[in-house]
């Protein structure tokens, strides 16, 4: 299994902005980072450069896009949590999760649908 990609909290908030607005001009991204994260332009460009070097984002002709898509990251993170905390056992994870959260009928129906689809 490939080594999971780790995003620190600040990186995750930054990449989330890219996911939300991509493709986004780097100047517009810097403005959004100032407004939403309180970052100076220099901070934005430093983090952007680092994430491009790690092949998480791309910046071509001042247009920023994600290489690592949000769905891919969520899948990796969820597998990492299950592997690290629950010895790779999805049933153990679900048991722990469901013991702490009351699900609505809609959420239960969604889960049931997901499980039925997975069994096909």
């Amino acid at each position: 299994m490939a080594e999971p990609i780790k995003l620190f909290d600040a990186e995750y908030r930054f990449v989330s902005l890219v996911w939300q607005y991509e493709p986004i001009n780097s100047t517009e991204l810097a403005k959004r980072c100032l407004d939403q994260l309180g970052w100076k332009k220099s901070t934005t460009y430093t983090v952007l450069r680092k994430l491009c070097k790690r092949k998480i984002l791309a910046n071509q002709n001042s247009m920023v896009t994600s290489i690592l898509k949000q769905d891919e990251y969520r899948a990796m993170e969820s597998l990492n949590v299950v592997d690290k905390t629950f010895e790779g056992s999805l049933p153990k994870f679900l048991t722990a999760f469901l013991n702490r959260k009351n699900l609505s009928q809609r959420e239960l129906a969604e889960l049931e649908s997901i499980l039925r689809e997975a069994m096909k």
Side-chain angles (χ1 to χ4, degrees), residues 16-25 28-29 32 36 64:
S16 291
L17 283 176
V18 174
W19 286 329
Q20 184 176 358
Y21 297 107
E22 70 178 311
I24 184 170
N25 179 278
E28 177 64 22
L29 180 59
R32 290 193 182 273
Q36 296 181 34
V64 179

Side-chain angles (χ1 to χ4, degrees), residues 92-106:
K92 285 182 184 178
F93 167 79
L94 287 172
T95 300
F97 181 80
L98 294 173
N99 283 336
R100 297 282 185 217
K101 182 172 179 7
N102 293 325
L103 298 179
S104 69
Q105 288 299 315
R106 190 183 116 252

Side-chain angles (χ1 to χ4, degrees), residues 61-85:
N61 300 321
S62 298
M63 289 305 290
V64 179
T65 57
S66 64
I67 296 171
L68 176 65
K69 300 304 179 192
Q70 188 174 34
D71 290 350
E72 295 169 323
Y73 182 73
R74 285 178 174 167
M76 281 189 301
E77 271 299 291
S78 61
L79 286 174
N80 188 40
V81 167
V82 170
D83 286 344
K84 181 178 173 182
T85 311

Side-chain angles (χ1 to χ4, degrees), residues 6-60:
K6 177 67 181 152
L7 292 174
F8 297 102
D9 290 341
E11 292 173 332
Y12 180 78
R13 290 192 311 270
F14 180 77
V15 173
S16 291
L17 283 176
V18 174
W19 286 329
Q20 184 176 358
Y21 297 107
E22 70 178 311
I24 184 170
N25 179 278
S26 59
T27 303
E28 177 64 22
L29 180 59
K31 289 178 188 172
R32 290 193 182 273
C33 285
L34 177 62
D35 292 343
Q36 296 181 34
L37 304 176
W39 291 6
K40 294 180 181 177
K41 188 191 295 189
S42 60
T43 303
T44 296
Y45 288 122
T46 297
V47 174
L48 176 59
R49 195 169 37 258
K50 287 179 181 181
L51 292 173
C52 287
K53 189 174 183 176
R54 289 171 54 197
K55 299 198 182 324
I56 293 169
L57 298 177
N59 183 8
Q60 296 178 329

